[in-house]
Amino acid sequence: MAKKKRLTKSTDKVLCGVFGGIAEYFGWDKAITRIVGAFLILFPGGVLPGAILYFIAAMVMPSPTKPNIIEGEFKEK
């Protein structure tokens, strides 16, 4: 059964992991996604509306789940 792709925050995060999670979900470069996201927060509507939307997304997006498999020789059942 194929694993279902899910939008989650990134573990490789700068602030809250929102843009990193979006980049991982769509397969985009994280640096470019963060630059475009920062540009969209700062310039079109001002800092406050963009920052509010960013932190709402940070609260709504789930954190990534940790796998149940321990790396190495032994595996947890």
Side-chain angles (χ1 to χ4, degrees), residues 8-14 16-17 20-21 24 30 34 63-65:
T8 61
K9 293 183 217 173
S10 177
T11 55
D12 177 26
K13 53 187 163 184
V14 173
C16 293
E24 288 173 359
K30 290 181 186 178
R34 289 174 178 143
S63 297
T65 56

Side-chain angles (χ1 to χ4, degrees), residues 3 5 8 13 15 27-28 32-33 38 46-47 55 59 77:
K3 187 175 181 181
K5 196 173 186 182
T8 61
K13 53 187 163 184
L15 190 59
W28 298 339
I32 294 173
T33 304
V47 176
F55 286 111
M59 290 187 302
K77 290 186 179 183

Side-chain angles (χ1 to χ4, degrees), residues 2-74:
K3 187 175 181 181
K4 191 174 181 181
K5 196 173 186 182
R6 191 169 171 208
L7 177 63
T8 61
K9 293 183 217 173
S10 177
T11 55
D12 177 26
K13 53 187 163 184
V14 173
L15 190 59
C16 293
V18 173
F19 291 129
I22 291 170
E24 288 173 359
Y25 184 78
F26 289 108
W28 298 339
D29 183 61
K30 290 181 186 178
I32 294 173
T33 304
R34 289 174 178 143
I35 291 169
V36 170
F39 178 80
L40 290 174
I41 285 175
L42 294 175
F43 293 109
V47 176
L48 190 61
I52 290 171
L53 288 174
Y54 180 86
F55 286 111
I56 288 173
M59 290 187 302
V60 171
M61 285 176 70
S63 297
T65 56
K66 295 180 181 175
N68 291 332
I69 298 174
I70 298 173
E71 294 295 325
E73 227 174 283
F74 304 101

